[in-house]
Amino acid sequence: MIDEKSELVFDLQRSWSDRLGAECDCDGTNFALFSENATRVELVLFDAAGVNEIWRGDLPQIEGGIWHGYLPMIRPGQCYGYRVHGPWAPEEGHRFNPAKLVLDPYARELRGDFVWDDALFGHDVAQDDLVRDDRDNAHFMPKAVVVDPVFDWEAESSLRHPWDEVVMYEAHVRGLTMQHPAVDAEDRGTFVGLSSDAIIAHLTDLGVTTVELLPVHGFVQDRHLIEKGLSNYWGYNTIAFFAPHQGYLKSGEVIEVKTAIKKMHRAGIEVILDVVYNHTAEGSEMGPTLSFRGIDNASYYMLAEDRRHCYDTTGTGNALNLAHPMVLRMVLDSLRYWVEVMHVDGFRFDLASTLGRGPQGFDQRGAFFAAIQQDPILSKVKLIAEPWDIGEGGYQLGGFPWPFREWNDKFRDDTRRFWKGDEGMLPRLSQRLLGSPVQFDHTHRPATSAVNFVTAHDGFTLWDVLSYDGPHNLANGEDGSDGHSTNHSDNFGHEGPTEDPHINQMRLARAKAMMATLILSQGVPMLLAGDEFGHTQEGNNNAYCQDNPTTWLDWGGKNEALHAAVRHLLAFRRTHKIATSQFLRGDSGTQVVTWLHPCGEDMREEDWQDRGLKVCGLLCARESDRILTVVNAGGETGFLLPAGSWTCVIDTSAENVCCQIPAEGTWIIPPQSVVVFRESDAGAQ
């Protein structure tokens, strides 16, 4: 680490522009920053704590808008930032302000916290966004850190679980571990806790193959939330696409993330990151100047026609300008960094429709998707789109190109409505059980294109879907006006928790049936962490700002019956290879599908039009066996089984959902249940 007395001079012969960010070798560090419209870029170095400035100098060279310079003696651990000079011309889209220290977009590690102060804004907040604010913000900014690239992966290779074997588990680094009694107190809420023996044992025992983590990139706590005593718990407010969020690191060092991923991989668990490349934490033109805005606002952001204002399709104030080749490169570099250096297994893209927007709106052949498809690294990892944004034409379910999979919100809504008892839902549920072919069976896409879920971080938990008719979000400080208004939930006659054993039993029965629907459907099942044992957020369906026991999983309050049911259902799915990469059809292929009426006959058109019918059977004749899945959202009913030697192998109404009961003739299907029968030449297993 250098000090204020160090004599530093850029070595022009060793400087390079082909790699951005701070790249350290054995002798020093090369610094490179893209700014097409800047006139001067100052590199500023700070002490080990990232508090006191100890040196600054202009990056000496520029090529193609990339400012760069090599400094000898700069080692890992060095804190730094930039001051970027250029025109202050907001009406032309330029908001350069060298009074503002800005964060390197390629920062690999952060040190220090954002401390909200008006000095963080490039404009005078007491006037408007046209008036420049010349106060120094360095005291309130975190600093980027030069990192050591060396880590012993011990020849580890990517897991690459086949999609038809994947069971996803959406989790939050803090929420998953903060209240787990077997995780050391000092490790909770960090990547160390995430990869603890207790958490890994729970995931492997449950049958999870792939953990999808809510955003772990460096993000900013919103000022208005801090002032309310709340926080941006979910983390969809990214400012650093290469650096992990400091709050998730016990030591503050990026090596913790690598170690956690290495441990997960040893246990056979993939790690997927929820990433937010559609916008940044700087918000609209009225937001702070933290990085991109001060580096080159006109390049990094999509601007409105008047150039002064941001173009917003995300509801957050801005949208990254992926039409610019260097901004697109930054996103691709970030993705490749997390794959090649950090060894993650894939990504879920937040509001992914924004990533595909061009001059004419959403374009599945746009630059971002084309770049991914041809990339030899990124095209091989798991890629999942949240197929919507809030802009015009933003809902694009089924519209993303291979190799992307997509969050299937139609599965969520139709499954909830069917089990709630809404009329006319049987035809829609039949589509969900088959992997939503209307949406995804085209352009040679596989049946694993749909990532199915009944709950996700955004909305009610599973138990709350069965306990609340409406959201209870007062704790969010928005007078209960936030969150989804259409939840397709059902409280069974009592809002919230109850001691009534009958209501609790009905809630458990439906929870097991909904989980069975998810797990036994074609496509890729995704569970929300805690749903497997009945976690509740006490009716809050928008807990984005609740970093407290509302969102932290209550491991001590585990519903053991539900947990056991989910574990057994996942084992059944795995053992009997329920999922397939090919869509199930009734006229071709190795798996023939027939829909059965409770009377034992094929479903007819008039049966599908019977809005009051709430039970039917899906018979799948495979090469090795036949599996009949009966869903019943109504009352107790008889179901005439096809001829053959059948065994009842799943009954969600039973205490133990897995069973081995010979079955024939008319079988009584309990209310609010999923019952599965199996026939094979070798007998039921």
Side-chain angles (χ1 to χ4, degrees):
M1 182 67 64
I2 67 165
D3 56 34
E4 296 179 5
K5 298 179 181 179
S6 299
E7 294 288 339
L8 294 179
V9 179
F10 285 106
D11 186 338
L12 301 184
Q13 300 303 313
R14 301 183 67 176
S15 179
W16 65 77
S17 62
D18 56 319
R19 296 195 302 278
L20 291 159
E23 295 276 348
C24 184
D25 60 22
C26 59
D27 297 321
T29 299
N30 190 78
F31 295 89
L33 178 76
F34 169 76
S35 179
E36 186 173 21
N37 295 294
T39 59
R40 175 186 168 200
V41 174
E42 290 182 281
L43 170 66
V44 186
L45 303 183
F46 292 83
D47 61 16
V51 175
N52 300 307
E53 179 180 328
I54 57 177
W55 184 90
R56 74 165 71 182
D58 288 4
L59 291 181
Q61 297 175 291
I62 179 172
E63 299 176 44
I66 298 176
W67 302 77
H68 59 100
Y70 181 93
L71 270 183
M73 300 191 296
I74 301 301
R75 303 284 189 264
Q78 177 65 58
C79 296
Y80 71 98
Y82 292 108
R83 296 185 185 276
V84 184
H85 298 251
W88 174 263
E91 292 173 313
E92 299 174 18
H94 300 309
R95 296 179 178 273
F96 293 98
N97 187 341
K100 310 304 173 182
L101 187 83
V102 291
L103 193 64
D104 182 359
Y106 280 69
R108 268 66 164 184
E109 187 175 295
L110 306 179
R111 186 162 301 158
D113 298 318
F114 286 99
V115 179
W116 277 106
D117 188 271
D118 288 350
L120 289 174
F121 292 78
H123 65 278
D124 188 338
V125 296
Q127 299 187 60
D128 62 26
D129 66 299
L130 298 179
V131 181
R132 198 172 82 169
D133 182 303
D134 291 328
R135 286 175 290 180
D136 194 313
N137 71 334
H139 179 69
F140 308 106
M141 283 286 295
K143 313 307 185 294
V145 182
V146 178
V147 301
D148 185 348
V150 177
F151 181 78
D152 184 7
W153 287 100
E154 297 179 341
E156 183 211 65
S157 60
S158 178
L159 293 177
R160 294 185 183 174
H161 292 309
W163 275 106
D164 54 9
E165 296 178 6
V166 169
V167 174
M168 301 194 67
Y169 187 85
E170 190 194 29
H172 190 284
V173 172
R174 279 180 62 79
L176 186 64
T177 60
M178 283 299 290
Q179 297 193 106
H180 199 298
V183 176
D184 290 343
E186 62 271 22
D187 296 341
R188 295 175 187 172
T190 71
F191 274 93
V192 177
L194 176 72
S195 58
S196 64
D197 292 344
I199 296 298
I200 289 177
H202 174 77
L203 296 174
T204 54
D205 177 66
L206 188 63
V208 169
T209 68
T210 308
V211 171
E212 179 184 302
L213 296 175
L214 268 69
V216 302
H217 287 169
F219 62 86
V220 178
Q221 298 291 348
D222 306 69
R223 189 175 195 176
H224 73 279
L225 292 177
I226 295 296
E227 291 171 349
K228 291 179 181 179
L230 301 171
S231 66
N232 191 318
Y233 173 69
W234 286 347
Y236 290 92
N237 208 28
T238 307
I239 197 62
F241 294 118
F242 293 77
H245 183 60
Q246 294 179 88
Y248 300 156
L249 302 176
K250 180 180 177 181
S251 67
E253 297 182 359
V254 69
I255 193 173
E256 285 185 29
V257 183
K258 296 180 179 179
T259 302
I261 293 172
K262 183 176 176 179
K263 287 188 65 177
M264 287 282 193
H265 284 180
R266 283 179 175 173
I269 300 171
E270 296 175 311
V271 178
I272 286 180
L273 302 186
D274 191 337
V275 289
V276 190
Y277 295 111
N278 55 75
H279 74 280
T280 79
E282 290 183 305
S284 72
E285 64 279 352
M286 302 303 293
T289 294
L290 309 175
S291 181
F292 312 94
R293 176 163 292 129
I295 295 170
D296 194 347
N297 183 69
S299 293
Y300 282 98
Y301 290 124
M302 296 174 65
L303 301 181
E305 290 185 11
D306 65 3
R307 305 294 290 171
R308 172 182 174 182
H309 299 93
C310 290
Y311 181 67
D312 179 19
T313 61
T314 65
T316 62
N318 67 53
L320 274 179
N321 181 23
L322 295 189
H324 193 294
M326 291 302 292
V327 180
L328 177 60
R329 174 181 167 178
M330 177 189 70
V331 171
L332 296 174
D333 283 349
S334 169
L335 292 169
R336 281 191 291 264
Y337 173 79
W338 285 95
V339 173
E340 295 185 292
V341 178
M342 306 299 286
H343 284 211
V344 303
D345 303 282
F347 307 93
R348 178 265 191 190
F349 295 89
D350 179 64
L351 300 181
S353 292
T354 293
L355 304 178
R357 285 191 176 275
Q360 306 303 318
F362 179 82
D363 182 4
Q364 65 173 234
R365 296 183 179 179
F368 174 74
F369 300 129
I372 292 286
Q373 286 179 304
Q374 63 78 42
D375 191 285
I377 302 299
L378 300 179
S379 62
K380 297 176 182 178
V381 301
K382 289 182 167 61
L383 305 169
I384 303 167
E386 182 182 39
W388 51 77
D389 63 20
I390 68 168
E392 183 178 355
Y395 187 76
Q396 291 292 331
L397 182 68
F400 284 74
W402 183 90
F404 281 83
R405 270 62 178 177
E406 301 176 37
W407 268 27
N408 186 5
D409 63 323
K410 289 188 180 297
F411 188 98
R412 175 196 64 197
D413 294 346
D414 292 345
T415 299
R416 289 187 186 187
R417 292 185 63 193
F418 174 79
W419 288 107
K420 182 184 175 185
D422 288 1
E423 292 191 343
M425 291 306 300
L426 199 56
R428 297 183 68 88
L429 186 76
S430 70
Q431 288 291 297
R432 307 308 153 226
L433 291 171
L434 292 180
S436 301
V438 171
Q439 285 71 36
F440 298 107
D441 189 6
H442 58 78
T443 59
H444 308 293
R445 295 188 71 178
T448 53
S449 294
V451 176
N452 299 324
F453 61 100
V454 291
T455 56
H457 68 274
D458 187 5
F460 279 141
T461 66
L462 175 63
W463 199 256
D464 287 355
V465 167
L466 310 174
S467 304
Y468 296 91
D469 276 354
H472 294 256
N473 298 351
L474 286 175
N476 294 352
E478 300 179 43
D479 298 322
S481 62
D482 62 306
H484 296 296
S485 58
T486 304
N487 297 286
H488 306 301
S489 58
D490 178 14
N491 69 8
F492 289 86
H494 183 90
E495 191 76 352
T498 177
E499 298 298 322
D500 187 322
H502 178 64
I503 291 178
N504 286 329
Q505 186 57 40
M506 289 193 296
R507 289 175 176 173
L508 175 61
R510 187 175 294 177
K512 291 159 69 176
M514 292 174 73
M515 277 294 189
T517 306
L518 173 66
I519 292 168
L520 300 178
S521 291
Q522 296 301 305
V524 179
M526 184 186 80
L527 282 66
L528 172 64
D531 274 358
E532 71 272 24
F533 55 72
H535 175 67
T536 175
Q537 292 179 169
E538 299 176 342
N540 192 322
N541 76 340
N542 189 34
Y544 76 103
C545 57
Q546 300 296 324
D547 186 3
N548 53 52
T550 300
T551 51
W552 302 344
L553 300 194
D554 180 13
W555 296 90
K558 183 187 299 184
N559 186 317
E560 295 290 355
L562 179 57
H563 183 210
V566 174
R567 187 172 67 251
H568 291 146
L569 286 165
L570 287 173
F572 181 85
R573 175 187 173 92
R574 180 173 62 253
T575 300
H576 296 286
K577 301 186 182 301
I578 295 300
T580 173
S581 61
Q582 301 297 318
F583 281 94
L584 304 182
R585 296 182 175 89
D587 56 358
S588 63
T590 59
Q591 304 192 74
V592 178
V593 168
T594 306
W595 292 98
L596 298 179
H597 188 275
C599 70
E601 299 179 352
D602 290 0
M603 288 281 287
R604 301 168 298 177
E605 182 60 32
E606 53 265 38
D607 296 325
W608 290 114
Q609 299 302 319
D610 182 354
R611 294 180 58 80
L613 185 62
K614 293 182 171 61
V615 57
C616 76
L618 169 59
L619 177 60
C620 181
R622 311 189 298 183
E623 290 181 341
S624 59
D625 59 11
R626 292 197 297 169
I627 290 182
L628 172 61
T629 302
V630 180
V631 292
N632 179 22
E636 181 178 283
T637 186
F639 195 101
L640 181 59
L641 299 176
S645 177
W646 293 95
T647 300
C648 178
V649 290
I650 294 287
D651 183 350
T652 62
S653 72
E655 182 175 353
N656 297 314
V657 299
C658 288
C659 51
Q660 292 289 326
I661 306 173
E664 61 181 357
T666 298
W667 194 264
I668 300 301
I669 307 297
Q672 294 280 295
S673 69
V674 175
V675 181
V676 180
F677 305 88
R678 182 170 183 265
E679 181 196 50
S680 69
D681 294 337
Q685 297 178 9

